[in-house]
Amino acid sequence: LLALDTSQAEAMAGVVMVLTAKDVPGRNSFGIIIPHQPVFVPVGGQVRSISDVLALVVAESEASARAAAEQVHVEYRELAGVFTPHEALAPDAPILHPPRPGDEPSNVMYGTHVEKGDVDSAMTGADLVVEGCFKTPFIEHAYLEPESGTADLDAEGVVTVRMASQAVAFHHRGVAAVLGLPPDKVRLVHVSPGGGFGARNDLSLHPYLALAALRTRRPVKMVLTRAESLRFHTKRHAMEHTVRLGATRHGRLLALTCDILADTGAYSSAGIPVLDQATLFATGPYNVPHVRIKGRSVYTNNVPCGAMRGFGIPQSAFAVESLMDELAEKLGMSPFELRRLNGLQVGSSTATGQVLESSVPFRETLERVEQA
């Protein structure tokens, strides 16, 4: 971002104020785990995604605000972008975030792995090995209510934001940090949302509402259009699972290897625990004695990805269940019988060594599904 000129917008009728990075009294960034997503991209900073915000127009009416926003003039120098994890991992790829001290520059946001047993020997001894690459796309939460909220400043200097929040304690601390105020000068009131599904885990309009109320000293409200909401909030992670599954001719699972490549978008959001979940549960609800699972989550210039129902597990479930169906077909075996033979039950041990002591209704669920 080379230049940002708000003077024409500020001079328009009905405009109260135009806020940019210079108007943030505290930390100009947020994030529920790594607070590196800018509230406003500052001049000299990088616009990493279409979700990034440069300026906020506060006006007497929505019409005035939208008209003034069109008169905020911006000068960019276009940079090379990366829009898939494979592009981001290329040796000559631009690096989206500076490395931490001591680390090599990389677009890998996070990596994790699970290993158990002797996978190579088990695969060699298997009667049948099936494999595949399974890709799942970005998914939009598509809740009925787009992001909306209000904020005000009282006589004691307390900023109150009323807005849906699936992580109100995280958000309270985040807004206080942006405002540069002690926590007791900030109130977040959770308003029951018209849908959430995980996307309201992240800060969205909260810091913008709070800043507008603090700077104008007047009550404010914001409602995004559907198009703005689609550009702005996190999505389900697109993932690529490369899976191999080895079994005996009788259908007993012996070994699984899985490489997971996740697109976390321009910022981390909840990408760390989402990849943890995808990795830990990549064996599905099955007893697999030999396991090697590796996961990487990679920065790209796409809209950031975060929490969505299942939190990384649906992507892994799609991969392993698809391969289980292929295995059943090649064995000439009922897909229900294959699952029944290998399903976890009380006393089973998971891929991470957790012994399941109670409440493991997988086989009962399978029977209900088979009956239906």
Side-chain angles (χ1 to χ4, degrees), residues 150-154 158-162 187 209 213-214 218-220:
T150 67
D152 59 69
L153 179 71
D154 70 15
V158 175
V159 178
T160 299
V161 177
R162 293 173 175 84
R187 291 181 67 227
L209 287 162
L214 182 68
R218 293 174 60 180
V220 296

Side-chain angles (χ1 to χ4, degrees), residues 68 73 79 93 146 152 185 200 207 216 243 268 280 285 295 297 314 328 347 350 361:
H73 298 293
L79 304 175
D152 59 69
K185 290 295 184 180
R200 301 186 198 273
T216 65
V243 192
S268 65
L280 297 175
S297 193
T350 69

Side-chain angles (χ1 to χ4, degrees), residues 124-160:
T124 301
D127 296 316
L128 180 65
V129 176
V130 292
E131 57 189 312
C133 182
F134 302 90
K135 298 179 181 180
T136 53
F138 300 108
I139 302 287
E140 159 64 27
H141 301 74
Y143 32 62
L144 289 177
E145 176 206 34
E147 290 76 4
S148 59
T150 67
D152 59 69
L153 179 71
D154 70 15
E156 282 72 46
V158 175
V159 178
T160 299

Side-chain angles (χ1 to χ4, degrees), residues 24 133 224 310:
V24 178
C133 182
L224 294 190

Side-chain angles (χ1 to χ4, degrees), residues 57-183:
V57 178
V58 188
E60 298 287 358
S61 70
E62 181 180 347
S64 296
R66 292 193 178 282
E70 295 294 325
Q71 298 304 316
V72 174
H73 298 293
V74 184
E75 183 183 348
Y76 295 112
R77 183 174 74 249
E78 190 171 331
L79 304 175
V82 288
F83 296 96
T84 71
H86 292 287
E87 290 178 9
L89 292 173
D92 58 347
I95 303 301
L96 269 69
H97 294 279
R100 287 170 294 204
D103 288 352
E104 292 293 319
S106 171
N107 284 320
V108 176
M109 186 271 291
Y110 177 64
T112 187
H113 68 282
V114 173
E115 295 192 38
K116 182 179 74 166
D118 188 343
V119 171
D120 296 331
S121 296
M123 283 291 188
T124 301
D127 296 316
L128 180 65
V129 176
V130 292
E131 57 189 312
C133 182
F134 302 90
K135 298 179 181 180
T136 53
F138 300 108
I139 302 287
E140 159 64 27
H141 301 74
Y143 32 62
L144 289 177
E145 176 206 34
E147 290 76 4
S148 59
T150 67
D152 59 69
L153 179 71
D154 70 15
E156 282 72 46
V158 175
V159 178
T160 299
V161 177
R162 293 173 175 84
M163 186 174 175
S165 171
Q166 288 182 272
V168 71
F170 278 119
H171 295 170
H172 176 250
R173 291 196 290 272
V175 171
V178 170
L179 298 182
L181 293 176

Side-chain angles (χ1 to χ4, degrees), residues 8 20 37 68 83 93 130 154 163 169 192 210 213 215 246 266 279 312 327 355:
Q8 283 184 251
T20 64
Q37 184 167 349
F83 296 96
V130 292
D154 70 15
M163 186 174 175
S192 184
R215 287 303 193 191
T279 304
L327 177 61
V355 177

Side-chain angles (χ1 to χ4, degrees), residues 320-330 333 335 338-339:
V320 71
E321 298 296 350
S322 297
L323 210 52
M324 286 289 282
D325 281 346
E326 292 184 25
L327 177 61
E329 186 174 357
K330 291 194 175 184
M333 190 175 190
L338 178 64
R339 287 168 168 83

